[in-house]
Amino acid sequence: MDLTRASATDILDALSRRQLSAAELMRATLDRIAQVNGEVNAIVALRDEDALMAEARAADAASPRGALHGLPIAVKDLVNVAGITSTQGSPLFKDHVPQTDDLLAARLRAAGAILIGKTNTPEFGLGSHTFNPVYGATRNPYDPTKTCGGSSGGAAVALATGMLALADGSDMMGSLRNPAAWNNVYGFRPSWGRVPSEPVGDGYLHQLSTLGPMARSPEDIGLLLDVISGPDPRMPLSTEVERVSPVQAADLTGMRIGWLGDWGGAFPCEEGILALCRDALHVFEERGARVEALAPPFDADLIWDSWITLRSWSVAAGLEPLAKKKSSLKDTAQWELERGLALSAMDVHRASVNRSDWHKRAVELFEDYDALVLPAAPVWPFELETPYPTEIKGQGMDTYHRWMQVVTPVSLLGLPCLGAPVGFGAQGLPMGMQLFGPRGADARILSIGAAYHSATLWPQKRPAM
């Protein structure tokens, strides 16, 4: 078994059967990191090798602790992990070593995972391009002169290059979907509330960001999703859930898939992206589904206005304790902080009314369609030195994140969404699509994704490194 290419499902099965030792797996993981991480800079704050090997040997000697027993995982650097430098990509926290685990890290550890370090992220997770002043930029393994996306960019690159078999991420504005697309892997944004956030501060008002899994198949995503899912009594809106694993490929016969394209021109896309996504939908048609092109179901401007208000409000709430150190924050964080602090309660109310109206329209759509599809990104991976695109096909972008507007219909409603690879463009760079359904349909979306994956196996086309 090539441990840098094998699925997490197969690796964990071999570990449970004692056909593979955690020490052997750790050795292979560390060797792969040494081989490729210097070029891509995806894994940061890597723990001491001797300590990791000792922990792996201890796992071999112990009774299995959970579903991930003996599996090495690096945690996104927005999550505090006990004993590992946890920076959020900010110089303000470059020496921060937590004494306790955040909830997600605790759940990984309780399931038997060995936490080896961190995956790189933009400063405070802002922006779909993974670079920060602490660790620098993470490079796209298919072209190291290009961005890998973000904010779960380090996680996606670690998966694409075989340094990890599973990875966690988070998603407010496409942070699980955009890097999955640009690194030819899968990222899953769960229904909001399925995976609770850290129980710090407000637990009621901010329903935009969520934690979620990344992997090289929907089946592997199901494994990690079950580990990190489930209510926490300290988080009032976290929900009881049913297991999704083992994920079984759905029978697509008779399913109706709605193709939203560029939302009637509201989401301009660079050349080749829409065609590549539409080609991917032929896989569904070949397996008995009916794919229909849809007119824009709701005003994109209303979605955007609601989104940027609720996002700035949420981001500013998180950054407000750092307001006195604002000059130490990157420009986009300063922009969000200033904008959020200037909002009135009625601004937030009106944004929530728009969100509620879009929700009601989406409910009607899902009465007729099993799933809807959008591109996962409107541009191909851009140059590493470019902070963010300022125009798409001649259309100017009026904010640092307007270029990722294509993800907002999903994010605004907290819908379950699988970021799935769709192949490669003319320059050999990967792209992906968003496959999403009604809130609570996580298992259904993953099973549809598994049927698609079995027919395409895109993540097996690995970068040449």
Side-chain angles (χ1 to χ4, degrees):
M1 181 189 301
D2 182 347
L3 296 177
T4 71
R5 291 180 176 269
S7 69
T9 301
D10 288 345
I11 290 172
L12 288 165
D13 181 65
L15 285 169
S16 68
R17 294 175 183 272
R18 303 282 182 173
Q19 297 169 344
L20 172 68
S21 72
E24 290 170 326
L25 177 59
M26 183 63 72
R27 181 72 269 158
T29 298
L30 293 174
D31 288 348
R32 184 61 177 166
I33 291 171
Q35 179 183 7
V36 303
N37 195 53
E39 185 171 355
V40 294
N41 190 37
I43 293 181
V44 297
L46 184 65
R47 291 174 57 203
D48 175 74
E49 179 176 315
D50 290 342
L52 288 172
M53 290 303 303
E55 192 168 335
R57 289 190 290 270
D60 286 328
S63 299
R65 294 178 57 193
L68 304 181
H69 187 82
L71 187 74
I73 291 183
V75 181
K76 185 175 178 179
D77 199 22
L78 297 182
V79 176
N80 284 330
V81 178
I84 301 179
T85 304
S86 301
T87 74
Q88 300 185 61
S90 169
L92 295 174
F93 300 102
K94 65 182 179 64
D95 299 317
H96 176 53
V97 180
Q99 299 303 304
T100 58
D101 288 330
D102 278 356
L103 179 61
L104 180 133
R107 287 184 171 183
L108 293 175
R109 208 185 292 274
I114 300 176
L115 306 186
I116 66 172
K118 294 303 200 72
T119 55
N120 205 18
T121 184
E123 186 175 347
F124 299 115
L126 297 176
S128 292
H129 178 9
T130 298
F131 69 96
N132 64 66
V134 180
Y135 296 117
T138 299
R139 298 173 179 269
N140 192 302
Y142 290 91
D143 182 347
T145 70
K146 301 290 195 295
T147 177
C148 66
S151 62
S152 307
V157 173
L159 290 167
T161 55
M163 291 189 280
L164 299 175
L166 288 178
D168 71 287
S170 56
D171 189 305
M172 179 181 272
M173 196 174 175
S175 291
L176 282 160
R177 294 162 279 167
N178 155 278
W182 285 355
N183 293 278
N184 192 36
V185 297
Y186 288 88
F188 186 68
R189 181 188 166 103
S191 293
W192 196 88
R194 183 184 184 95
V195 181
S197 59
E198 189 63 13
V200 175
D202 173 70
Y204 282 94
L205 296 176
H206 301 288
Q207 299 187 39
L208 296 180
S209 183
T210 182
L211 303 162
M214 303 184 78
R216 293 190 290 265
S217 73
E219 291 83 357
D220 284 356
I221 277 185
L223 288 174
L224 184 53
L225 182 61
D226 280 342
V227 167
I228 62 178
S229 293
D232 183 288
R234 298 166 296 177
M235 295 302 290
L237 301 184
S238 59
T239 58
E240 295 283 350
V241 296
E242 294 183 357
R243 290 179 56 84
V244 301
S245 191
V247 174
Q248 302 289 337
D251 180 358
L252 302 183
T253 304
M255 281 194 183
R256 297 183 68 188
I257 309 293
W259 166 233
L260 292 163
D262 62 1
W263 207 276
F267 306 152
C269 295
E270 289 184 343
E271 195 67 32
I273 292 175
L274 293 175
L276 198 61
C277 291
R278 187 62 184 83
D279 286 346
L281 293 176
H282 292 319
V283 173
F284 296 94
E285 293 174 322
E286 290 165 357
R287 279 149 186 78
R290 180 179 175 184
V291 177
E292 300 177 19
L294 302 181
F298 197 79
D299 189 326
D301 288 337
L302 291 179
I303 292 176
W304 178 250
D305 289 345
S306 177
W307 173 257
I308 61 170
T309 296
L310 296 175
R311 175 185 165 93
S312 290
W313 181 49
S314 179
V315 171
L319 293 177
E320 193 273 337
L322 303 176
K324 292 182 179 179
K325 300 178 181 179
K326 187 176 70 172
S327 62
S328 299
L329 307 179
K330 72 175 183 177
D331 56 350
T332 51
Q334 293 184 38
W335 182 86
E336 294 280 17
L337 180 60
E338 292 170 0
R339 194 173 186 278
L341 292 177
L343 292 170
S344 71
M346 289 308 298
D347 291 332
V348 172
H349 170 73
R350 285 187 286 269
S352 190
V353 170
N354 284 342
R355 171 163 60 179
S356 300
D357 288 343
W358 165 222
H359 168 77
K360 287 179 282 190
R361 179 68 185 101
V363 168
E364 295 172 351
L365 280 176
F366 290 123
E367 291 174 355
D368 296 324
Y369 295 94
D370 296 280
L372 302 175
V373 175
L374 280 164
V379 299
W380 299 100
F382 48 85
E383 296 298 320
L384 203 66
E385 296 76 16
T386 301
Y388 47 83
T390 57
E391 68 172 43
I392 303 175
K393 294 183 70 175
Q395 181 172 320
M397 303 288 107
D398 56 358
T399 71
Y400 79 97
H401 51 13
R402 169 75 86 155
W403 67 279
M404 279 299 292
Q405 187 179 358
V406 71
V407 304
T408 58
V410 170
S411 292
L412 191 62
L413 301 188
L415 304 178
C417 181
L418 181 65
V422 297
F424 297 80
Q427 303 302 313
L429 294 170
M431 185 46 65
M433 63 181 174
Q434 303 175 76
L435 177 74
F436 60 102
R439 206 155 172 172
D442 302 60
R444 182 66 163 162
I445 292 299
L446 286 175
S447 68
I448 295 172
Y452 169 80
H453 175 70
S454 67
T456 55
L457 299 176
W458 281 118
Q460 292 192 359
K461 185 177 175 59
R462 291 273 291 272
M465 59 173 56

